Amino acid sequence: MKWLLLLGLLVLSECTVYKVPLVRKKSLRHNLLKHGLLKDFLKKHSINPASKYFPQEATMLSTQPLENYLDTEYFGTIGIGTPTQDFTVVFDTGSSNLWVPSIYCSSAACTDHNRFNPEDSSTYEATSQSISITYGTGSMTGILGYDTVHVGGISDTNQIFGLSESEPGSFLYYAPFDGILGLAYPSISASGATPVFDNIWDQGLVSEDLFSVFLSSDDKSGSVVIFGGIDSSYYTGELHWVPVSYEGYWQITVDSITMDGETIACSEGCQAIVDTGTSLLTGPTSAIANIQSYIGASEDSDGLMAVSCSSVDSLPKIIFTINGVQYPLPASAYILEEDGICTSGFEGMDVSTSTGELWILGDVFIRQYYTVFDRANNRVGLAAVA
């Protein structure tokens, strides 16, 4: 009887781990470039990735600049409502709210995306709460409601989410995603809305209070978000654990950043946010400018930091030392090649914090290291991808 019970528990544990496939698509930046709009967009919008983490005005509303998703390439599909209505979303560890366009939105940005219709869902519950997400010269404004969210085989009932009513800014028309599903801590969630993963865990729908991410370098498939478990087939060696230094974002402490054996940044330690919603490696403007110069990157006519493709093999690794462990990134990881054009995977940002330098370890880093986001122990696990 005891063995039958243990076997039953094992089966239950295995059944409560869910994989959400991610697909890699052309980024918003690429789509703007394709339509000849990128140069004009960059002139009109001063892009500062730091504004996602340090909004200028603290309010009860969300301040999640959508311009930060300019280079995002990995997306998954979720369903909302009964019957389900499907949406393509960014699974974003750098924010905490879920929102999608709604039928109440008549902005140009909404017309080419899937829009949620509350009237078509028998499980939808309305609220009187509003939400606003700022970006550049405008904002996404909308309302909050409750419904069942279907993600990777999980039926997440009574989930609060945002329904957009206005999305000014025609550039979002070209975004390859409908909305955002935030996976950061509830402490930074707009309007105190319970994040999707917290609601899933609170309902006992997964066996472990963690999720993990594998981002494939393959342009077509293979990337996943795994809710409730770790899959060792995605990495080699062992997982190294790093304590979360700030329980809002998935923020950790970096010991140093070196190239060619020389410290190029973070000489006295610094903070870094592990963020699936940021594609590039982002750091202080001055440090990034030095790196761009070191690797021979210069701005081209389209506003891209271009690098000679023939030089990639001769460029050094950049090494992030984290909690005493070195995490090297070869040039093949931080130089991005598309259609025969090579660009730098580094981006500068203006930020001032009491803890000194801040870096964002985006998809350029995560593609090289399978990443576990452990809420139970407030830590991040890293291991080289298989």
Side-chain angles (χ1 to χ4, degrees):
M1 180 64 70
K2 182 184 294 185
W3 288 109
L4 288 175
L5 177 61
L6 288 174
L7 180 60
L9 290 173
L10 177 61
V11 172
L12 177 63
S13 175
E14 290 177 348
C15 289
T16 52
V17 175
Y18 299 88
K19 291 185 179 181
V20 184
L22 301 181
V23 295
R24 193 174 184 183
K25 298 183 179 181
K26 301 296 185 183
S27 67
L28 173 56
R29 185 190 294 268
H30 180 275
N31 290 343
L32 291 174
L33 179 63
K34 179 181 177 182
H35 289 86
L37 300 172
L38 180 61
K39 190 172 183 178
D40 185 59
F41 172 82
L42 294 175
K43 283 183 179 179
K44 292 181 180 179
H45 298 266
S46 178
I47 309 300
N48 181 21
S51 59
K52 179 179 180 180
Y53 314 99
F54 299 95
Q56 293 180 349
E57 298 181 6
T59 68
M60 289 300 290
L61 301 176
S62 173
T63 50
Q64 173 186 311
L66 297 184
E67 290 167 349
N68 285 286
Y69 303 99
L70 189 62
D71 294 289
T72 304
E73 297 177 323
Y74 295 90
F75 310 96
T77 300
I78 65 170
I80 302 178
T82 307
T84 59
Q85 301 172 44
D86 289 343
F87 298 91
T88 298
V89 297
V90 179
F91 284 84
D92 179 21
T93 58
S95 67
S96 297
N97 290 87
L98 168 63
W99 70 267
V100 295
S102 77
I103 58 168
Y104 307 127
C105 179
S106 58
S107 302
C110 294
T111 59
D112 197 44
H113 290 87
N114 294 328
R115 291 183 286 179
F116 181 74
N117 186 348
E119 297 178 2
D120 288 345
S121 175
S122 63
T123 46
Y124 178 76
E125 295 182 20
T127 77
S128 58
Q129 293 178 277
S130 62
I131 186 171
S132 176
I133 300 176
T134 63
Y135 64 90
T137 58
S139 65
M140 183 289 281
T141 59
I143 57 174
L144 290 168
Y146 289 88
D147 211 329
T148 299
V149 173
H150 304 271
V151 52
I154 302 171
S155 293
D156 171 24
T157 59
N158 201 36
Q159 176 63 55
I160 191 168
F161 68 105
L163 297 77
S164 76
E165 295 179 312
S166 174
E167 294 180 26
S170 60
F171 74 93
L172 281 177
Y173 178 88
Y174 299 99
F177 57 88
D178 301 313
I180 311 292
L181 192 156
L183 291 168
Y185 283 77
S187 61
I188 64 168
S189 179
S191 304
T194 302
V196 168
F197 184 73
D198 287 78
N199 208 40
I200 287 172
W201 172 250
D202 290 345
Q203 294 178 67
L205 301 178
V206 290
S207 55
E208 292 186 79
D209 191 8
L210 58 78
F211 59 94
S212 53
V213 175
F214 169 76
L215 298 183
S216 172
S217 296
D218 189 301
D219 285 342
K220 296 181 180 179
S221 62
S223 302
V224 291
V225 176
I226 304 173
F227 287 99
I230 299 169
D231 188 335
S232 60
S233 69
Y234 288 108
Y235 66 88
T236 61
E238 63 178 308
L239 277 167
H240 297 281
W241 295 101
V242 187
V244 168
S245 57
Y246 168 64
E247 295 173 22
Y249 302 104
W250 289 96
Q251 185 169 320
I252 59 176
T253 299
V254 176
D255 303 333
S256 65
I257 302 173
T258 60
M259 290 182 95
D260 270 344
E262 296 185 9
T263 300
I264 57 170
C266 193
S267 58
E268 297 180 358
C270 58
Q271 295 296 295
I273 295 171
V274 186
D275 185 6
T276 58
T278 296
S279 287
L280 307 181
L281 279 170
T282 304
T285 301
S286 58
I288 295 298
N290 289 337
I291 293 174
Q292 304 286 37
S293 176
Y294 192 85
I295 65 175
S298 58
E299 187 172 338
D300 66 11
S301 59
D302 293 312
L304 302 174
M305 294 303 294
V307 179
S308 171
C309 292
S310 62
S311 68
V312 174
D313 291 340
S314 62
L315 294 176
K317 297 177 181 178
I318 182 169
I319 298 174
F320 292 82
T321 301
I322 304 171
N323 207 24
V325 178
Q326 291 190 345
Y327 298 91
L329 295 182
S332 58
Y334 66 75
I335 300 297
L336 313 176
E337 182 176 359
E338 187 172 357
D339 299 330
I341 299 173
C342 290
T343 57
S344 168
F346 297 100
E347 184 176 29
M349 64 180 180
D350 296 319
V351 62
S352 177
T353 73
S354 58
T355 55
E357 293 181 30
L358 177 71
W359 287 72
I360 310 302
L361 304 181
D363 297 346
V364 167
F365 182 89
I366 298 171
R367 269 195 294 270
Q368 301 298 304
Y369 294 98
Y370 180 78
T371 307
V372 182
F373 299 87
D374 185 351
R375 281 289 300 277
N377 300 291
N378 293 315
R379 60 182 183 172
V380 173
L382 299 169
V385 296

